[in-house]
Protein backbone atom coordinates (compact mmCIF):
# COMPACT_ATOMS: atom_id res chain seq x y z
CA UNK A 1 0.00 0.00 0.00
CA UNK A 2 1.00 3.66 -0.33
CA UNK A 3 2.38 5.39 2.75
CA UNK A 4 4.48 8.35 3.86
CA UNK A 5 7.09 6.80 6.13
CA UNK A 6 9.27 8.44 8.76
CA UNK A 7 12.69 7.11 9.75
CA UNK A 8 13.37 8.41 13.26
CA UNK A 9 17.08 7.62 13.12
CA UNK A 10 17.66 9.51 9.89
CA UNK A 11 14.92 12.12 10.48
CA UNK A 12 13.78 11.43 6.95
CA UNK A 13 10.41 11.17 5.24
CA UNK A 14 9.82 9.03 2.18
CA UNK A 15 6.92 7.99 -0.01
CA UNK A 16 6.59 4.23 -0.40
CA UNK A 17 4.30 2.43 -2.83
CA UNK A 18 4.68 -1.02 -1.28
CA UNK A 19 4.56 -0.42 2.47
CA UNK A 20 3.16 -3.50 4.26
CA UNK A 21 -0.62 -3.44 4.57
CA UNK A 22 -1.75 -4.03 8.18
CA UNK A 23 -3.56 -7.21 9.17
CA UNK A 24 -5.85 -8.14 12.04
CA UNK A 25 -3.64 -9.34 14.91
CA UNK A 26 -5.94 -9.16 17.93
CA UNK A 27 -9.61 -10.03 18.13
CA UNK A 28 -10.55 -6.42 18.86
CA UNK A 29 -8.49 -4.94 16.04
CA UNK A 30 -10.06 -2.83 13.31
CA UNK A 31 -8.49 -2.02 9.95
CA UNK A 32 -9.50 1.43 8.70
CA UNK A 33 -9.27 2.49 5.08
CA UNK A 34 -7.98 6.01 5.54
CA UNK A 35 -9.81 8.84 3.79
CA UNK A 36 -8.19 11.91 5.36
CA UNK A 37 -5.08 12.28 7.52
CA UNK A 38 -3.79 15.60 8.77
CA UNK A 39 -0.27 16.94 9.18
CA UNK A 40 -0.02 18.37 12.69
CA UNK A 41 2.48 20.85 14.08
CA UNK A 42 3.66 18.04 16.35
CA UNK A 43 4.47 16.01 13.23
CA UNK A 44 6.71 18.82 12.02
CA UNK A 45 8.51 18.86 15.37
CA UNK A 46 8.94 15.08 15.12
CA UNK A 47 10.35 15.30 11.61
CA UNK A 48 12.89 17.88 12.79
CA UNK A 49 13.88 15.75 15.78
CA UNK A 50 12.36 18.21 18.27
CA UNK A 51 9.69 15.91 19.71
CA UNK A 52 9.94 12.29 20.94
CA UNK A 53 8.89 9.56 18.50
CA UNK A 54 9.79 5.98 17.67
CA UNK A 55 13.33 5.34 16.45
CA UNK A 56 13.48 1.54 16.50
CA UNK A 57 11.86 1.23 13.09
CA UNK A 58 10.37 3.43 10.36
CA UNK A 59 6.61 3.97 10.60
CA UNK A 60 3.83 5.79 8.78
CA UNK A 61 3.19 8.95 10.78
CA UNK A 62 -0.24 10.52 11.17
CA UNK A 63 -2.24 10.78 14.40
CA UNK A 64 -5.17 12.70 12.88
CA UNK A 65 -7.23 10.48 10.61
CA UNK A 66 -10.68 9.38 9.52
CA UNK A 67 -12.02 6.82 7.12
CA UNK A 68 -14.17 3.74 6.67
CA UNK A 69 -13.81 0.38 8.38
CA UNK A 70 -12.22 -2.13 6.02
CA UNK A 71 -11.93 -5.22 8.26
CA UNK A 72 -12.70 -6.15 11.88
CA UNK A 73 -11.54 -8.71 14.42
CA UNK A 74 -14.02 -11.34 15.63
CA UNK A 75 -14.74 -9.44 18.87
CA UNK A 76 -15.35 -6.08 17.22
CA UNK A 77 -18.60 -4.23 17.85
CA UNK A 78 -18.09 -2.34 14.60
CA UNK A 79 -18.99 -3.32 11.06
CA UNK A 80 -17.23 -3.07 7.73
CA UNK A 81 -18.24 0.11 5.91
CA UNK A 82 -18.86 2.32 8.96
CA UNK A 83 -17.50 5.86 8.85
CA UNK A 84 -15.14 6.44 11.75
CA UNK A 85 -12.67 8.83 13.32
CA UNK A 86 -9.58 7.52 15.09
CA UNK A 87 -8.50 8.64 18.54
CA UNK A 88 -4.74 8.04 18.51
CA UNK A 89 -4.39 8.11 22.30
CA UNK A 90 -5.53 5.71 25.00
CA UNK A 91 -5.08 4.84 28.68
CA UNK A 92 -2.97 2.02 30.05
CA UNK A 93 -5.82 1.40 32.56
CA UNK A 94 -3.28 0.31 35.19
CA UNK A 95 -1.54 3.36 36.62
CA UNK A 96 -2.83 5.84 39.16
CA UNK A 97 -3.24 8.56 36.53
CA UNK A 98 -5.39 6.36 34.29
CA UNK A 99 -7.46 5.09 37.21
CA UNK A 100 -8.27 8.71 38.00
CA UNK A 101 -9.28 9.44 34.40
CA UNK A 102 -6.16 11.45 33.56
CA UNK A 103 -4.45 9.34 30.93
CA UNK A 104 -2.82 12.43 29.45
CA UNK A 105 -0.35 12.11 32.34
CA UNK A 106 0.26 8.38 31.85
CA UNK A 107 3.94 7.51 31.58
CA UNK A 108 3.40 4.48 29.32
CA UNK A 109 0.20 5.24 27.41
CA UNK A 110 -1.33 8.59 26.43
CA UNK A 111 1.08 10.46 24.20
CA UNK A 112 3.72 7.80 24.91
CA UNK A 113 1.88 5.20 22.81
CA UNK A 114 0.16 7.38 20.22
CA UNK A 115 -0.88 5.88 16.89
CA UNK A 116 1.12 7.76 14.27
CA UNK A 117 3.97 8.61 16.66
CA UNK A 118 4.93 5.27 18.22
CA UNK A 119 3.13 2.90 15.82
CA UNK A 120 1.88 3.08 12.25
CA UNK A 121 -0.60 5.88 11.71
CA UNK A 122 -2.86 7.43 9.13
CA UNK A 123 -0.37 8.59 6.50
CA UNK A 124 -1.15 5.38 4.66
CA UNK A 125 -4.01 3.74 2.81
CA UNK A 126 -4.84 1.51 5.77
CA UNK A 127 -4.17 1.60 9.51
CA UNK A 128 -4.72 -0.94 12.28
CA UNK A 129 -6.46 0.41 15.39
CA UNK A 130 -7.81 -1.20 18.58
CA UNK A 131 -11.59 -0.84 18.49
CA UNK A 132 -11.48 1.08 21.76
CA UNK A 133 -9.91 3.95 19.81
CA UNK A 134 -12.57 4.06 17.08
CA UNK A 135 -15.53 6.45 17.08
CA UNK A 136 -18.42 5.92 14.68
CA UNK A 137 -19.55 9.06 12.90
CA UNK A 138 -23.15 10.23 12.59
CA UNK A 139 -24.56 10.64 9.11
CA UNK A 140 -24.28 14.43 9.35
CA UNK A 141 -20.47 14.35 9.54
CA UNK A 142 -18.35 13.54 6.49
CA UNK A 143 -15.01 11.77 6.70
CA UNK A 144 -13.52 15.01 5.35
CA UNK A 145 -14.84 16.97 8.33
CA UNK A 146 -13.85 14.14 10.67
CA UNK A 147 -10.27 14.54 9.48
CA UNK A 148 -10.27 17.47 11.94
CA UNK A 149 -11.85 15.50 14.79
CA UNK A 150 -8.59 14.84 16.64
CA UNK A 151 -7.43 18.48 16.71
CA UNK A 152 -10.96 19.57 17.67
CA UNK A 153 -10.86 17.02 20.50
CA UNK A 154 -7.69 18.69 21.77
CA UNK A 155 -9.38 22.10 21.55
CA UNK A 156 -12.34 20.64 23.45
CA UNK A 157 -10.01 19.54 26.25
CA UNK A 158 -8.38 22.98 26.27
CA UNK A 159 -11.78 24.68 26.31
CA UNK A 160 -12.80 22.60 29.32
CA UNK A 161 -9.50 23.30 31.10
CA UNK A 162 -9.88 27.05 30.54
CA UNK A 163 -13.56 27.20 31.50
CA UNK A 164 -15.42 29.14 32.53
CA UNK A 165 -14.86 31.33 29.49
CA UNK A 166 -17.52 33.97 29.95
CA UNK A 167 -19.10 35.65 26.94
CA UNK A 168 -17.98 39.27 26.96
CA UNK A 169 -14.48 38.55 28.23
CA UNK A 170 -11.68 40.01 26.17
CA UNK A 171 -9.82 37.12 24.49
CA UNK A 172 -6.56 37.10 22.51
CA UNK A 173 -5.73 34.20 20.18
CA UNK A 174 -2.04 34.00 19.28
CA UNK A 175 -1.35 32.27 15.98
CA UNK A 176 -3.70 31.71 13.05
CA UNK A 177 -2.52 28.34 11.87
CA UNK A 178 -5.10 25.59 11.92
CA UNK A 179 -5.20 25.30 15.72
CA UNK A 180 -5.76 29.03 16.03
CA UNK A 181 -8.53 28.76 13.44
CA UNK A 182 -10.18 25.88 15.28
CA UNK A 183 -10.13 27.94 18.47
CA UNK A 184 -11.59 30.87 16.53
CA UNK A 185 -14.48 28.76 15.25
CA UNK A 186 -15.02 27.28 18.71
CA UNK A 187 -15.12 30.66 20.43
CA UNK A 188 -17.45 32.15 17.82
CA UNK A 189 -19.75 29.12 17.94
CA UNK A 190 -19.96 29.52 21.73
CA UNK A 191 -20.97 33.17 21.47
CA UNK A 192 -17.67 34.99 22.04
CA UNK A 193 -17.31 38.23 20.10
CA UNK A 194 -14.64 40.26 21.97
CA UNK A 195 -11.78 38.37 20.32
CA UNK A 196 -8.50 39.58 18.82
CA UNK A 197 -6.37 37.32 16.62
CA UNK A 198 -2.62 37.97 16.28
CA UNK A 199 -0.62 36.42 13.43
CA UNK A 200 2.54 37.63 11.67
CA UNK A 201 1.73 35.85 8.39
CA UNK A 202 -0.63 38.10 6.42
CA UNK A 203 -1.75 35.22 4.22
CA UNK A 204 -3.02 33.41 7.28
CA UNK A 205 -4.84 36.53 8.48
CA UNK A 206 -6.57 36.64 5.10
CA UNK A 207 -7.63 33.02 5.64
CA UNK A 208 -9.23 33.96 8.97
CA UNK A 209 -11.39 36.51 7.14
CA UNK A 210 -13.07 33.62 5.30
CA UNK A 211 -14.58 32.49 8.60
CA UNK A 212 -16.56 35.76 8.78
CA UNK A 213 -16.38 36.07 12.56
CA UNK A 214 -15.82 39.82 12.66
CA UNK A 215 -12.88 39.32 15.02
CA UNK A 216 -10.14 41.94 15.15
CA UNK A 217 -7.11 40.74 13.19
CA UNK A 218 -3.67 42.20 13.92
CA UNK A 219 0.02 41.44 13.58
CA UNK A 220 2.24 41.03 16.68
CA UNK A 221 3.84 44.43 16.22
CA UNK A 222 0.43 46.05 16.66
CA UNK A 223 -0.02 44.26 19.99
CA UNK A 224 3.39 45.45 21.13
CA UNK A 225 2.48 49.08 20.48
CA UNK A 226 -0.89 48.91 22.22
CA UNK A 227 -1.62 49.13 25.91
CA UNK A 228 -4.44 46.59 25.74
CA UNK A 229 -4.82 43.77 28.23
CA UNK A 230 -6.91 40.61 27.96
CA UNK A 231 -8.89 38.35 30.26
CA UNK A 232 -7.81 35.23 28.39
CA UNK A 233 -4.86 34.56 26.09
CA UNK A 234 -4.84 31.36 24.03
CA UNK A 235 -1.33 30.69 22.73
CA UNK A 236 -1.47 28.47 19.64
CA UNK A 237 2.03 29.25 18.38
CA UNK A 238 4.13 26.62 20.13
CA UNK A 239 6.94 29.17 20.50
CA UNK A 240 8.39 29.80 23.95
CA UNK A 241 9.44 33.38 23.18
CA UNK A 242 5.88 34.27 22.25
CA UNK A 243 4.73 33.37 25.75
CA UNK A 244 7.47 35.49 27.28
CA UNK A 245 6.28 38.54 25.36
CA UNK A 246 2.51 38.03 25.40
CA UNK A 247 2.24 37.07 29.07
CA UNK A 248 2.51 40.79 29.78
CA UNK A 249 -0.79 41.36 27.94
CA UNK A 250 -2.85 39.64 30.66
CA UNK A 251 -5.03 41.80 32.85
CA UNK A 252 -5.63 41.14 36.56
CA UNK A 253 -7.15 37.70 37.17
CA UNK A 254 -6.30 36.63 33.64
CA UNK A 255 -5.73 33.14 32.24
CA UNK A 256 -2.94 32.11 29.88
CA UNK A 257 -3.80 28.96 27.94
CA UNK A 258 -0.60 27.38 26.67
CA UNK A 259 -2.07 25.31 23.86
CA UNK A 260 0.54 25.23 21.09
CA UNK A 261 2.96 22.35 21.57
CA UNK A 262 6.42 23.82 22.21
CA UNK A 263 9.49 21.66 21.53
CA UNK A 264 11.04 20.43 24.81
CA UNK A 265 14.09 22.64 24.35
CA UNK A 266 12.09 25.89 24.31
CA UNK A 267 12.34 28.04 27.43
CA UNK A 268 10.72 31.25 28.56
CA UNK A 269 11.22 33.79 31.33
CA UNK A 270 8.27 34.96 33.44
CA UNK A 271 8.03 37.34 36.39
CA UNK A 272 6.70 35.51 39.48
CA UNK A 273 5.72 38.80 41.13
CA UNK A 274 3.48 39.57 38.16
CA UNK A 275 1.77 36.18 38.57
CA UNK A 276 1.25 36.87 42.28
CA UNK A 277 0.24 40.49 41.95
CA UNK A 278 -2.31 39.94 39.19
CA UNK A 279 -3.38 36.48 40.42
CA UNK A 280 -2.70 35.04 36.99
CA UNK A 281 -3.41 31.46 35.95
CA UNK A 282 -1.30 29.41 33.54
CA UNK A 283 -3.15 26.51 31.93
CA UNK A 284 -1.33 23.74 30.10
CA UNK A 285 -3.24 21.53 27.67
CA UNK A 286 -2.01 18.06 26.78
CA UNK A 287 -3.71 15.86 24.15
CA UNK A 288 -7.38 14.91 24.39
CA UNK A 289 -8.44 12.72 27.32
CA UNK A 290 -12.01 11.47 26.76
CA UNK A 291 -12.88 14.51 24.63
CA UNK A 292 -13.62 12.79 21.29
CA UNK A 293 -17.38 12.59 22.01
CA UNK A 294 -17.44 16.36 22.56
CA UNK A 295 -15.47 16.97 19.36
CA UNK A 296 -17.89 14.85 17.33
CA UNK A 297 -20.81 16.75 18.83
CA UNK A 298 -19.10 20.03 17.96
CA UNK A 299 -18.52 18.94 14.36
CA UNK A 300 -22.19 18.02 14.05
CA UNK A 301 -23.37 21.30 15.57
CA UNK A 302 -20.92 23.52 13.69
CA UNK A 303 -21.50 21.98 10.29
CA UNK A 304 -20.25 23.61 7.12
CA UNK A 305 -20.66 27.09 8.64
CA UNK A 306 -17.35 26.50 10.40
CA UNK A 307 -15.97 23.07 9.47
CA UNK A 308 -15.13 23.80 5.87
CA UNK A 309 -11.65 23.14 4.49
CA UNK A 310 -11.56 26.25 2.31
CA UNK A 311 -12.74 28.58 5.08
CA UNK A 312 -10.21 27.08 7.51
CA UNK A 313 -7.32 27.28 5.05
CA UNK A 314 -6.94 23.52 4.69
CA UNK A 315 -5.48 22.12 1.47
CA UNK A 316 -5.50 18.44 0.54
CA UNK A 317 -2.65 16.47 -1.01
CA UNK A 318 -2.06 12.96 -2.27
CA UNK A 319 0.41 10.92 -0.23
CA UNK A 320 2.83 11.16 -3.14
CA UNK A 321 2.68 14.96 -2.85
CA UNK A 322 4.02 15.00 0.71
CA UNK A 323 7.00 17.19 -0.22
CA UNK A 324 4.67 19.85 -1.65
CA UNK A 325 2.57 19.71 1.51
CA UNK A 326 5.63 20.24 3.71
CA UNK A 327 6.83 23.12 1.57
CA UNK A 328 3.45 24.88 1.66
CA UNK A 329 3.36 24.54 5.43
CA UNK A 330 6.88 25.92 5.65
CA UNK A 331 5.90 28.93 3.54
CA UNK A 332 2.71 29.42 5.53
CA UNK A 333 0.60 29.55 2.37
CA UNK A 334 -1.89 27.14 3.97
CA UNK A 335 -3.17 26.89 7.52
CA UNK A 336 -3.09 23.11 7.37
CA UNK A 337 -2.17 20.31 5.00
CA UNK A 338 -4.25 17.14 4.94
CA UNK A 339 -3.57 13.97 2.98
CA UNK A 340 -6.61 12.93 0.97
CA UNK A 341 -5.84 9.25 0.83
CA UNK A 342 -9.04 7.76 -0.57
CA UNK A 343 -9.28 7.70 -4.34
CA UNK A 344 -12.21 9.52 -5.96
Amino acid sequence: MEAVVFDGNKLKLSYEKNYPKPEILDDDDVIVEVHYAGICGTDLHIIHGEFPAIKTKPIALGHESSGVIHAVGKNSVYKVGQKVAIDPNKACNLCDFCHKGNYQYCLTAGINSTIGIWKDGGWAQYVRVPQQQIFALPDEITTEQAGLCEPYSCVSHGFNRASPLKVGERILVLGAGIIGNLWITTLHHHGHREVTVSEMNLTRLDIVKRLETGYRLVTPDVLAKENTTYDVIIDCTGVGKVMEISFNYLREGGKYVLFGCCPPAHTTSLNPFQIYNKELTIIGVKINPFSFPSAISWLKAMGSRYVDYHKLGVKTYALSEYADAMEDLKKGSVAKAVFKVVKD
Side-chain angles (χ1 to χ4, degrees), residues 46-328:
I46 289 170
I47 293 165
H48 292 113
E50 299 171 332
F51 196 86
I54 190 170
K55 291 186 177 182
T56 56
K57 65 176 182 178
I59 65 165
L61 289 182
H63 59 274
E64 305 174 355
S65 53
S66 64
V68 170
I69 293 178
H70 174 73
V72 297
K74 66 180 183 180
N75 289 341
S76 177
V77 300
Y78 295 99
K79 297 179 180 179
V80 172
Q82 282 186 282
K83 295 185 301 180
V84 296
I86 298 171
D87 184 350
N89 304 305
K90 66 175 183 177
C92 77
N93 294 319
L94 294 172
C95 73
D96 183 60
F97 293 128
C98 290
H99 283 168
K100 292 179 179 178
N102 297 313
Y103 72 73
Q104 69 271 35
Y105 308 141
C106 182
L107 301 179
T108 57
I111 202 168
N112 301 299
S113 65
T114 300
I115 292 170
I117 296 180
W118 299 100
K119 57 191 77 172
D120 282 317
W123 293 4
Q125 289 179 286
Y126 299 91
V127 59
R128 179 175 57 246
V129 186
Q131 68 171 352
Q132 293 86 352
Q133 293 174 250
I134 293 290
F135 286 83
L137 299 173
D139 292 339
E140 296 89 341
I141 299 176
T142 66
T143 54
E144 180 178 86
Q145 291 172 323
L148 297 174
C149 196
E150 193 277 341
Y152 262 121
S153 74
C154 295
V155 172
S156 173
H157 177 47
F159 190 88
N160 291 339
R161 290 268 293 145
S163 292
L165 294 175
K166 299 177 181 178
V167 172
E169 287 184 316
R170 193 177 295 161
I171 299 175
L172 172 63
V173 177
L174 300 171
I178 188 60
I179 287 299
N181 291 353
L182 298 190
W183 268 101
I184 289 166
T185 57
T186 296
L187 292 169
H188 194 267
H189 180 66
H190 283 82
H192 294 275
R193 297 296 182 268
E194 300 300 319
V195 178
T196 296
V197 180
S198 173
E199 167 62 52
M200 67 173 58
N201 186 316
L202 297 180
T203 299
R204 288 188 168 179
L205 284 182
D206 284 338
I207 290 172
V208 177
K209 294 176 183 177
R210 300 175 192 168
L211 294 169
E212 298 181 333
T213 60
Y215 289 170
R216 189 173 76 111
L217 310 180
V218 299
T219 50
D221 61 304
V222 173
L223 292 180
K225 294 175 183 176
E226 295 178 338
N227 192 30
T228 304
T229 55
Y230 298 86
D231 299 292
V232 181
I233 296 178
I234 302 168
D235 186 349
C236 301
T237 67
V239 180
K241 191 65 177 178
V242 169
M243 181 183 189
E244 185 172 305
I245 295 170
S246 58
F247 199 75
N248 297 306
Y249 304 152
L250 280 176
R251 69 191 312 179
E252 284 73 8
K255 303 174 187 176
Y256 196 100
V257 182
L258 190 60
F259 192 89
C261 185
C262 290
H266 279 212
T267 59
T268 189
S269 177
L270 302 178
N271 185 334
F273 180 82
Q274 186 180 22
I275 298 172
Y276 147 78
N277 193 44
K278 290 185 175 181
E279 288 196 337
L280 303 178
T281 302
I282 302 173
I283 300 171
V285 182
K286 187 177 184 182
I287 61 173
N288 58 340
F290 305 111
S291 54
F292 246 70
S294 292
I296 291 173
S297 295
W298 282 9
L299 290 174
K300 184 177 177 180
M302 288 180 172
S304 58
R305 163 65 181 92
Y306 297 102
V307 191
D308 176 278
Y309 275 21
H310 173 70
K311 292 178 182 178
L312 291 166
V314 179
K315 184 177 178 180
T316 59
Y317 302 79
L319 291 170
S320 59
E321 299 173 321
Y322 79 92
D324 294 334
M326 297 298 170
E327 182 61 25
D328 287 347

